[in-house]
Amino acid sequence: MSQSPEQILKSVFGFPAFRGRQEEVIHHVVAGGSGLLVMPTGGGKSLCYQVPALALPGVAVVVSPLIALMQDQVTALRQLGVRAAAINSAMEFADLVAAENALRAGELDLVYVAPERLLTDRFLALLDELRVALFAIDEAHCVSQWGHDFRPEYRQLELLATRYPAVPRLALTATADEPTRADIVERLALRPDDVFIAGFDRPNIRYLIAPKDNARTQILNFIKGEHAGQSGIVYCLSRQAVEETSVWLNQQGIESLPYHAGLDRAVRAANQDRFLKEDAMVMTATIAFGMGIDKPDVRFVAHMDLPKSLEAYYQETGRAGRDGLPAEAFLVYGTKDIAKIRQFTENSGAPEAQKRIERQKLDALIGFCESASCRRQILLSYFGENHHEPCGNCDTCLNPPAVFDGTVAAQKLMSCVYRTDQMFGAGHVIDVLLGGNTERIRKFGHDTVSTYGIGKEHDRREWQSFVRQLVAQNLLTVDIAGHGGLHLGPGARAVLKGERQVMLRHDPAAKKAKSAKAKRTSAVVAEADESLFGALRACRAALAREQGVPPYVIFHDSTLAAMAADRPTDKYGFALLPGVGGAKLERYAEAFLAVINDHVSA
Ligand code: ADP
Ligand code: ZN
């Protein structure tokens, strides 16, 4: 054994310390142990097999189903001076032969293969002749039928335990609930004691959720306000919305590309490639985009429409901030979205048991959106983790909404819906409550109903918020098959009879618009370092273009941010930056030191 894990961490990866459970897992594997590691996206799973791969003699075999990702990983490792290769069906024949020869000659530290290739007699025979350091089984939930992405060929990985009993096997996944974990342990013949579960929390992601007012304007303000010049993803529900939103963003001066399953394969690949390689590209996409994207510097994920469930929301927002720097998840949601999903569930023709689960998932999602307490606490408790302290990094923590006894307001709203015959949408009902003088009110004689003008203590915006909250609580329902008319929901009677209290919160959106400018805590660098940071990014972009690689494989934003703050003047100082190992010091110190020097002396 040449170097210790700690030495490798510093000399190759340039990181000063392990994170979370990395150290424990790495020592376990280096000592010959096998196991399952469950760690959220961005938690640093790759290091858990890459460091042992370098610490142990022989080649580490990394099994991954995502061929598109392999090349990324290999590119990043080569930048670090690590001898790595992929072997898969997407490669040119000549490259394939070269990689196999290197493997046979013992010249590789890591080799990435798809499971179906690993399991061929030919490949196994080749492995039999080699010294294998360890097997890393990435996306291990694919082994299990309970996981969300079952792949039959993963089942056959069982044979690794019997064929190579002395070689450590490390299974890794970001998402596995209890039954899935048990299944992985059994299928890969691991010991139940060797399951390492890191917390789900992604503390650097700030969760922001707002009622839909004008989704486009809200998203635009969000991007322009905090995220100009940064990479991000905007999720839309439909392909058409993706196309239109992307065009619109470009018109507004925000460079954006569309991505959805209806686009030509080549177009999708090209757009994805540009998103990875450029520093400030916004991908406007359906949820078809994201699986297997591990760009570390995605600074925001915005949802124009409600996601399918909290699981989906967590997975989609998890694509932000993998590099550990501040990132934001922004969601706007509207009453119509909620009604649409409800309707869809009810009319789906699914068995009742299935519908019940869907309803529960929707309720959890709405509860999350409408909540007045810490978003992170709700999210994490949904995944079975209880955090006792509010996080301080979500909208409700930063800007707590006031909750009040809204029974009277709810009663007024519901009786107004009732008095106007449960036929009208929120706009008209609110007009009646506010005592408006519209053509419709005159036409239907609604200025004579008992609820006319009884709601003047709240303004329109507040009433709209109350409607949304009552819909969320299922006290009002929206007839979207008709014309969006409001109906009384199942619990309405009890409220009208005064048997049930309704808690409402004041919508903080109006207030927030004014105070938002004040703090800018989600910035990646201090204001004084911004121009140097920009120059460093330009230098990185030029180097990346020269080599045809994504900028983040040269240095992450976190390294550039440290560079802009510390401003090293020589190689010794440069070597101390996080993310600068031996290979990168040799290759890049000179170029970046020149940028710093120019900047400081200018
Ligand atoms: P995962 O595979 O779990 O989604 P990665 O392995 O891609 O996460 O790691 C996420 C990011 O965190 C990467 O950019 C990686 O370089 C960085 N990282 C991992 N471990 C450390 C560490 N100990 N110190 C600093 N950065 C780290
Ligand atoms: Zn919070």
Side-chain angles (χ1 to χ4, degrees):
M1 192 186 299
S2 44
Q3 278 187 310
S4 73
E6 285 71 19
Q7 287 168 331
I8 292 168
L9 182 72
K10 289 198 185 79
S11 67
V12 177
F13 295 90
F15 295 141
F18 287 116
R19 268 192 203 159
R21 303 195 74 173
Q22 282 178 335
E23 183 169 14
E24 185 188 348
V25 173
I26 288 169
H27 281 279
H28 177 78
V29 174
V30 170
S34 294
L36 166 64
L37 171 63
V38 186
M39 200 183 246
T41 306
K45 281 187 291 299
S46 335
L47 227 60
C48 293
Y49 61 82
Q50 289 169 349
V51 170
L54 297 175
L56 293 168
V59 61
V61 178
V62 186
V63 187
S64 165
L66 305 170
I67 290 180
L69 265 190
M70 288 183 190
Q71 202 48 50
D72 255 30
Q73 294 257 12
V74 169
T75 308
L77 284 167
R78 288 191 179 155
Q79 288 281 335
L80 294 167
V82 174
R83 304 177 305 168
I87 294 187
N88 64 48
S89 51
M91 291 164 67
E92 301 282 332
F93 185 68
D95 294 337
L96 203 62
V97 172
E100 280 201 11
N101 286 341
L103 180 61
R104 199 170 282 120
E107 289 165 359
L108 293 180
D109 299 311
L110 285 110
V111 63
Y112 286 77
V113 289
E116 57 276 13
R117 167 143 335 229
L118 171 69
L119 293 162
T120 59
D121 291 336
R122 190 164 166 276
F123 199 87
L124 290 170
L126 172 56
L127 284 189
D128 289 343
E129 292 166 27
L130 298 173
R131 177 144 197 183
V132 179
L134 65 109
F135 289 102
I137 299 142
D138 209 359
E139 313 291 339
H141 54 269
C142 296
V143 173
S144 168
Q145 240 153 0
W146 311 121
H148 51 80
D149 191 17
F150 174 57
R151 300 192 186 219
E153 65 278 12
Y154 256 67
R155 277 287 158 97
Q156 294 164 43
L157 294 173
E158 275 174 315
L159 72 78
L160 296 179
T162 41
R163 189 158 178 154
Y164 307 97
V167 179
R169 281 160 288 120
L170 181 63
L172 309 104
T173 176
T175 45
D177 56 12
E178 173 51 40
T180 311
R181 293 199 293 264
D183 214 15
I184 297 172
V185 165
E186 192 192 324
R187 293 285 159 184
L188 297 178
L190 302 169
R191 297 188 335 153
D193 286 349
D194 293 334
V195 176
F196 302 85
I197 303 172
F200 263 98
D201 192 14
R202 300 285 311 281
N204 61 314
I205 299 182
R206 171 176 295 176
Y207 299 101
L208 306 168
I209 292 149
K212 203 182 262 190
D213 186 359
N214 177 331
R216 280 189 174 179
T217 313
Q218 288 172 292
I219 299 274
L220 184 67
N221 289 342
F222 167 73
I223 298 177
K224 286 206 159 158
E226 293 271 321
H227 299 289
Q230 298 183 339
S231 289
I233 305 174
V234 174
Y235 280 115
C236 305
L237 211 52
S238 69
R239 297 174 184 185
Q240 191 189 347
V242 164
E243 297 278 355
E244 291 171 3
T245 307
S246 184
V247 168
W248 182 78
L249 282 173
N250 281 303
Q251 287 164 353
Q252 303 302 313
I254 292 168
E255 239 190 312
S256 163
L257 291 167
Y259 190 106
H260 57 71
L263 287 171
D264 196 63
R265 215 188 154 86
V267 174
R268 263 182 300 168
N271 288 0
Q272 173 164 329
D273 194 55
R274 279 190 64 191
F275 177 69
L276 294 179
K277 289 194 177 150
E278 292 179 23
D279 271 337
M281 183 57 74
V282 174
M283 189 65 105
T284 307
T286 60
I287 52 169
F289 180 73
M291 177 61 175
I293 297 296
D294 68 356
K295 185 173 164 65
D297 55 358
V298 173
R299 294 268 70 84
F300 66 88
V301 170
H303 282 88
M304 302 263 288
D305 298 292
L306 266 189
K308 242 175 48 200
S309 61
L310 275 180
E311 285 96 335
Y313 174 76
Y314 203 66
Q315 196 172 35
E316 285 148 27
T317 55
R319 290 167 188 148
R322 278 169 168 259
D323 53 12
L325 294 175
E328 291 191 314
F330 182 50
L331 161 69
V332 294
Y333 71 99
T335 325
K336 286 236 178 72
D337 293 351
I338 298 174
K340 230 187 275 178
I341 301 181
R342 276 236 161 87
Q343 185 99 352
F344 185 78
T345 308
E346 295 313 320
N347 299 344
S348 67
E352 185 52 30
Q354 171 90 28
K355 282 189 185 172
R356 194 160 51 235
I357 294 173
E358 305 271 312
R359 273 185 220 122
Q360 281 165 1
K361 290 199 169 196
L362 180 61
D363 286 343
L365 181 63
I366 297 166
F368 171 70
C369 291
E370 285 292 342
S371 168
S373 63
C374 173
R375 310 275 188 199
R376 194 178 313 268
Q377 280 181 321
I378 299 175
L379 265 179
L380 293 176
S381 81
Y382 186 75
F383 294 111
E385 265 180 43
N386 288 311
H387 287 241
H388 300 294
E389 295 294 315
C391 74
N393 192 27
C394 70
D395 54 352
T396 50
C397 280
L398 293 166
N399 208 342
V403 182
F404 67 102
D405 180 349
T407 311
V408 172
Q411 284 168 336
K412 287 183 177 177
L413 193 49
M414 287 189 289
S415 52
C416 194
V417 167
Y418 184 72
R419 299 279 166 219
T420 53
D421 302 317
Q422 310 191 59
M423 283 169 54
F424 297 89
H428 180 72
V429 173
I430 293 171
D431 282 341
V432 175
L433 280 170
L434 293 175
N437 180 19
T438 66
E439 196 182 321
R440 248 201 187 166
I441 287 181
R442 290 192 300 273
K443 177 172 165 200
F444 289 96
H446 284 165
D447 44 1
T448 61
V449 300
S450 60
T451 52
Y452 182 75
I454 62 165
K456 291 181 182 162
E457 70 277 28
H458 300 292
D459 65 14
R460 174 171 299 276
R461 191 174 187 122
E462 283 178 301
W463 281 117
Q464 280 165 345
S465 163
F466 299 161
V467 170
R468 249 186 337 261
Q469 295 181 61
L470 293 184
V471 170
Q473 297 183 29
N474 223 354
L475 292 171
L476 287 177
T477 60
V478 183
D479 173 21
I480 58 155
H483 298 94
L486 292 171
H487 291 251
L488 296 188
R493 236 176 100 84
V495 177
L496 285 169
K497 287 169 75 182
E499 293 165 2
R500 175 173 159 186
Q501 191 192 28
V502 180
M503 297 307 287
L504 294 175
R505 57 171 176 65
H506 285 296
D507 187 353
K511 270 186 293 167
K512 200 155 51 189
K514 282 175 222 134
S515 65
K517 284 237 161 59
K519 35 181 180 309
R520 193 163 169 276
T521 43
S522 68
V524 171
V525 290
E527 222 169 314
D529 301 332
E530 256 170 27
S531 77
L532 176 53
F533 183 65
L536 294 168
R537 278 181 27 139
C539 172
R540 178 180 66 177
L543 289 167
R545 250 192 319 274
E546 253 167 46
Q547 302 179 48
V549 298
Y552 55 80
V553 305
I554 294 186
F555 284 128
H556 279 182
D557 280 356
S558 51
T559 301
L560 297 192
M563 223 179 276
D566 295 357
R567 308 185 174 198
T569 52
D570 57 24
K571 276 194 166 188
Y572 300 99
F574 201 84
L576 296 178
L577 297 167
V580 178
K584 291 190 175 174
L585 180 67
E586 280 312 309
R587 277 178 94 157
Y588 299 124
E590 208 174 319
F592 287 93
L593 284 171
V595 174
I596 297 171
N597 190 36
D598 285 352
H599 187 87
V600 174
S601 53

